[in-house]
Amino acid sequence: MQRYFVKNDQITENKIEISGEDAHHISRVMRMKPGENIICCSEDGQVARCEIQEITDDLCFASIVEWIDENKELPVFVTIAQGLPKGDKLELVVQKGTEMGARCFLPFFASRSIVKWDEKKGRKKVERLEKIAKEAAEQSHRTKVPEINEPVNFKTLLNESKNYTYKIVAYEEDAKLGEKSNLFSVLSKLASGDSLLAVIGPEGGLTEEEVSELRNNGFISCSLGQRILRTETAPLYLLAAVSYHTELLG
């Protein structure tokens, strides 16, 4: 069944009103008819099997048949703090990171970030990333859409880090020195409900000064294996490791 995310105010008693692009997708792309079933997910992660009752040009009305006990989310809240990369790499990180369970993306301006963020176009970029996250969440059958933040400066990133249970920074110099235990140590401590903030540098990596400041603010620096990963590959490696430790080993 097709999956759609709806706002809480779209749900009234046992009925759901779907509008905009989702309604267009139901009527024009999927060519669905009254009587067919879809899955709807609310903002707070509740999942319902619904039956389409009526389809108009830009609206779809569905009734809730049953609420489903379903949880496809990682047991820990993972935020990927991504140093702003070039081109469309951030879109790839959001799309694949959503599929792999990230709950939040926090882009930040690193010393070696080359890309310039146009404030006028910035909101549109974030909206595009939000759409990518929503579509990826639907495709991967998640129950929540990750949060996409506008880029922040390094100081704000440090302030935000105070809200997390564990904090790590992927540092390629650790990989070059053969460091192997820090990531495993952090992941082994993760318990259901914990939060993890993972900082990934842009192309060219983080500077020694940035890593030093992160360490001074409670971050544990670690390698992601013995190979040097691209900036868009590193968060996916990290999320796969989190999934393995928190979902498969248990």
Side-chain angles (χ1 to χ4, degrees):
M1 282 182 281
Q2 288 291 316
R3 179 172 297 242
Y4 299 95
F5 288 89
V6 297
K7 303 288 187 182
N8 287 341
D9 60 11
Q10 292 176 253
I11 305 172
T12 304
E13 295 181 353
N14 67 331
K15 294 182 179 180
I16 295 178
E17 178 182 310
I18 301 173
S19 59
E21 291 185 3
D22 285 340
H24 178 271
H25 187 268
I26 290 171
S27 63
R28 303 296 176 83
V29 179
M30 299 305 298
R31 298 186 181 281
M32 302 183 81
K33 305 294 182 184
E36 295 190 64
N37 286 346
I38 57 175
I39 295 292
C40 290
C41 302
S42 68
E43 290 177 286
D44 51 8
Q46 291 185 299
V47 182
R49 180 170 67 87
C50 303
E51 181 180 297
I52 296 174
Q53 299 296 322
E54 181 184 356
I55 300 176
T56 66
D57 289 340
D58 54 2
L59 290 174
C60 173
F61 299 92
S63 61
I64 298 172
V65 177
E66 63 174 337
W67 291 99
I68 302 171
D69 184 13
E70 177 183 284
N71 183 15
K72 302 293 181 66
E73 300 301 311
L74 285 175
V76 293
F77 188 110
V78 182
T79 292
I80 298 297
Q82 180 78 41
L84 274 175
K86 296 184 293 184
D88 59 359
K89 293 177 182 178
L90 187 57
E91 294 183 6
L92 176 66
V93 169
V94 168
Q95 182 188 57
K96 301 307 177 185
T98 296
E99 292 179 29
M100 302 183 77
R103 289 285 298 278
C104 181
F105 294 93
L106 179 63
F108 70 96
F109 297 100
S111 296
R112 292 173 178 162
S113 289
I114 299 174
V115 65
K116 302 299 181 182
W117 189 266
D118 188 329
E119 291 296 333
K120 293 181 180 179
K121 298 179 180 178
R123 185 59 238 173
K124 289 185 177 180
K125 290 183 178 180
V126 171
E127 288 174 356
R128 173 162 173 76
L129 293 173
E130 290 173 338
K131 181 179 179 182
I132 289 172
K134 176 178 176 292
E135 291 176 350
E138 290 170 347
Q139 180 274 320
S140 56
H141 286 200
R142 289 189 56 173
T143 55
K144 291 185 178 180
V145 179
E147 176 185 352
I148 309 293
N149 289 276
E150 293 195 15
V152 299
N153 59 37
F154 193 70
K155 182 178 180 181
T156 300
L157 172 64
L158 294 178
N159 288 334
E160 287 292 324
S161 72
K162 299 174 183 178
N163 301 317
Y164 289 81
T165 315
Y166 296 100
K167 300 172 282 190
I168 62 173
V169 51
Y171 190 37
E172 63 182 39
E173 295 303 320
D174 283 351
K176 293 176 182 177
L177 294 173
E179 190 283 312
K180 299 180 181 179
S181 61
N182 287 350
L183 178 61
F184 177 82
S185 176
V186 172
L187 297 185
S188 297
K189 297 174 184 176
L190 287 176
S192 181
D194 283 344
S195 57
L196 172 68
L197 175 61
V199 171
I200 309 293
E203 300 90 346
L206 298 165
T207 64
E208 290 184 15
E209 292 75 18
E210 286 172 324
V211 174
S212 177
E213 198 163 356
L214 288 166
R215 286 170 174 159
N216 290 338
N217 281 270
F219 282 79
I220 296 174
S221 67
C222 61
S223 69
L224 301 180
Q226 299 183 58
R227 293 154 297 283
I228 304 302
L229 305 178
R230 291 178 180 270
T231 183
E232 67 271 29
T233 309
L236 308 184
Y237 178 105
L238 184 279
L239 287 164
V242 172
S243 173
Y244 178 74
H245 267 265
T246 62
E247 295 183 305
L248 301 184
L249 281 183

